[in-house]
């Protein structure tokens, strides 16, 4: 989702992509989004990867807001693009949009409420090289970890979705 949002931001004439940003807890070990993979992506794109560290015992929202303010003050960031597609859990509105508003930064949400299968098709059409780094059970098992997203795996996912819907 973040890669598709990135390509949409690049193609948006009113935006200029200057860096990638990761908001992460102190001493974070991401299973879904390994930091080493993010660093490699940034390097391959010729963009810096800015880490906004969320201190362990700090107020979570205030840490996001202050991190965004720092991005604005130190790097001139006015817009943050995110691949967020929908609300999570008990959220009443998009988290990045809410925190950005408090920091004076606009959120660019090109995938908001997008149809997920269409997003995957777009990534395949754009020839992205995608690998599953984390999956959700019971729909997927560990055999999907490290597997490429290609036409075959996409067809399997569609079949699983059709099976679940019936």
């Amino acid at each position: 989702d973040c890669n598709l949002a990135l390509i949409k931001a690049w193609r948006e004439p009113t935006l200029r992509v200057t860096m990638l940003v990761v908001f992460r807890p102190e001493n974070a070990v991401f299973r879904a989004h390994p930091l080493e993979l993010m660093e490699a992506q940034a390097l391959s794109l010729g963009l810096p990867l800015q880490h906004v560290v969320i201190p362990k015992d700090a107020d979570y929202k205030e840490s996001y807001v202050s991190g965004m303010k720092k991005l604005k003050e130190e790097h001139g960031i006015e817009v943050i693009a995110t691949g967020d597609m929908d609300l999570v859990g008990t959220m009443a509105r998009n988290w990045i949009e809410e925190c950005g508003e408090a920091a004076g930064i606009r959120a660019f949400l090109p995938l908001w409420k997008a149809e997920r299968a269409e997003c995957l098709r777009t990534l395949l059409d754009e020839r992205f090289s995608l690998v599953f780094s984390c999956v959700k059970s019971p729909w997927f098992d560990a055999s999907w970890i490290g597997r490429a997203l290609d036409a075959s795996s996409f067809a399997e996912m569609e079949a699983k979705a059709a099976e679940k819907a019936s």
Side-chain angles (χ1 to χ4, degrees):
D1 53 356
C2 60
N3 287 301
L4 186 53
L6 173 62
I7 201 167
K8 288 183 179 286
W10 259 329
R11 292 176 179 165
E12 171 56 50
T14 64
L15 300 177
R16 186 172 59 89
V17 177
T18 59
M19 68 175 56
L20 302 182
V21 177
V22 58
F23 291 84
R24 64 175 183 82
E26 204 170 16
N27 303 317
V29 177
F30 289 119
R31 290 181 9 196
H33 310 291
L35 291 174
E36 302 81 32
L37 183 57
M38 289 184 218
E39 293 284 357
Q41 288 173 327
L43 184 63
S44 73
L45 295 168
L47 293 170
L49 177 64
Q50 183 69 39
H51 294 247
V52 176
V53 178
I54 310 300
K56 185 177 180 180
D57 296 322
D59 178 87
Y60 195 68
K61 183 176 181 182
E62 185 49 44
S63 294
Y64 260 78
V65 171
S66 67
M68 287 181 174
K69 285 179 180 177
K70 188 173 179 181
L71 289 170
K72 184 175 183 175
E73 292 164 5
E74 294 181 7
H75 303 283
I77 301 300
E78 298 175 1
V79 179
I80 292 184
T82 178
D84 293 352
M85 300 176 87
D86 210 335
L87 297 174
V88 177
T90 60
M91 290 180 162
R93 61 186 289 216
N94 178 272
W95 178 256
I96 295 297
E97 187 175 50
E98 184 177 333
C99 294
E101 188 176 278
I105 292 179
R106 183 172 66 88
F108 177 65
L109 308 167
L111 307 181
W112 193 249
K113 302 292 184 183
E115 203 272 311
R116 283 155 173 77
E118 185 57 37
C119 289
L120 291 174
R121 275 188 214 91
T122 300
L123 288 167
L124 291 172
D125 291 346
E126 292 282 351
R127 300 185 179 276
F128 275 78
S129 176
L130 304 163
V131 176
F132 290 92
S133 60
C134 185
V135 295
K136 187 170 183 169
S137 62
W139 300 279
F140 300 94
D141 61 32
S143 68
W144 284 77
I145 305 296
R147 187 174 172 186
L149 175 63
D150 55 22
S152 174
S153 59
F154 183 69
E156 283 184 60
M157 291 170 65
E158 286 187 307
K160 284 178 179 286
E163 182 181 301
K164 182 182 175 201
S166 61

